[in-house]
Amino acid sequence: DHHYQRWIKLGNKRDCRALLTLQGHVEDIPPGSKERSEFEETFIQDIATALKISPKRILIQSITPGSIKVAFRIMPDDSDSTAATPYKLFEELQHQSTKSGSALKQGRITGACTSLEALEADNDRMDGALVADWTKGQVLNWVQTAGFDRNVVESFRDAGITGLALT
């Protein structure tokens, strides 16, 4: 898949995007509900546990119908140069999605996984002249690499922002 090949070229400085389809009905987890909040927390924990990484490296972008489709990002670990790259982690998830006894398939939410696919990588533009319409992943990457205090980085990561647009 060409999206996956692009990630390999980008290496550990970029997040990677994936779409996991789960059995179920998105209507059972309406936006703003306790059920949605619990679903999101458990999904993130399931993915992090399956990959043996911090839950802070998993960001849900959207949850849409068609069973339950969860678009999410695996973020790079800028604090550890020996950490697995996002694309290597995606490879691991892909492998686990085909194995019935895997950690992914044993997750409370991700156990209902029916498919996993790569989504298109973001544009490689991260310079000051071309920051309009950055995604949340790009904003986080910039905040992390720009030398901000760790509290600022974590505030951006934990905030409900979906992107940044400059006018």
Side-chain angles (χ1 to χ4, degrees):
D1 166 278
H2 75 281
H3 301 315
Y4 176 72
Q5 293 303 319
R6 188 158 177 238
W7 288 343
I8 291 172
K9 286 192 259 175
L10 294 172
N12 200 36
K13 292 300 179 195
R14 298 300 302 226
D15 60 306
C16 64
R17 299 176 60 223
L19 181 68
L20 188 73
T21 302
L22 304 161
Q23 295 173 349
H25 302 283
V26 76
E27 297 81 19
D28 295 339
I29 51 169
S33 69
K34 177 182 168 205
E35 291 81 8
R36 173 65 72 103
S37 179
E38 289 173 358
F39 175 91
E40 290 178 0
E41 288 174 24
T42 305
F43 177 88
I44 289 169
Q45 191 58 54
D46 283 358
I47 297 289
T49 298
L51 294 175
K52 299 178 181 152
I53 62 173
S54 167
K56 289 185 180 252
R57 290 185 64 188
I58 306 298
L59 298 173
I60 294 176
Q61 293 214 266
S62 66
I63 299 173
T64 55
S67 299
I68 301 174
K69 294 182 181 275
V70 183
F72 67 99
R73 292 176 184 265
I74 303 171
M75 303 300 292
D77 184 348
D78 293 330
S79 66
D80 182 359
S81 62
T82 63
T85 63
Y87 78 86
K88 283 287 188 197
L89 293 169
F90 177 79
E91 281 181 335
E92 174 60 25
L93 265 190
Q94 222 171 18
H95 176 73
Q96 287 189 35
S97 72
T98 63
K99 303 283 184 200
S100 61
S102 70
L104 180 72
K105 291 289 194 167
Q106 291 178 359
R108 283 185 40 217
I109 298 291
T110 58
C113 169
T114 59
S115 70
L116 174 67
E117 63 186 272
L119 295 176
E120 184 176 356
D122 287 332
N123 289 336
D124 298 333
R125 303 175 308 182
M126 290 300 293
D127 60 8
L130 299 168
V131 297
D133 301 317
W134 276 4
T135 64
K136 183 173 183 174
Q138 288 171 308
V139 171
L140 287 171
N141 187 37
W142 175 75
V143 168
Q144 289 171 333
T145 58
F148 283 96
D149 178 270
R150 183 174 185 84
N151 291 331
V152 172
V153 173
E154 288 177 2
S155 294
F156 266 93
R157 179 177 286 136
D158 297 339
I161 63 168
T162 57
L164 175 70
L166 300 178
T167 55

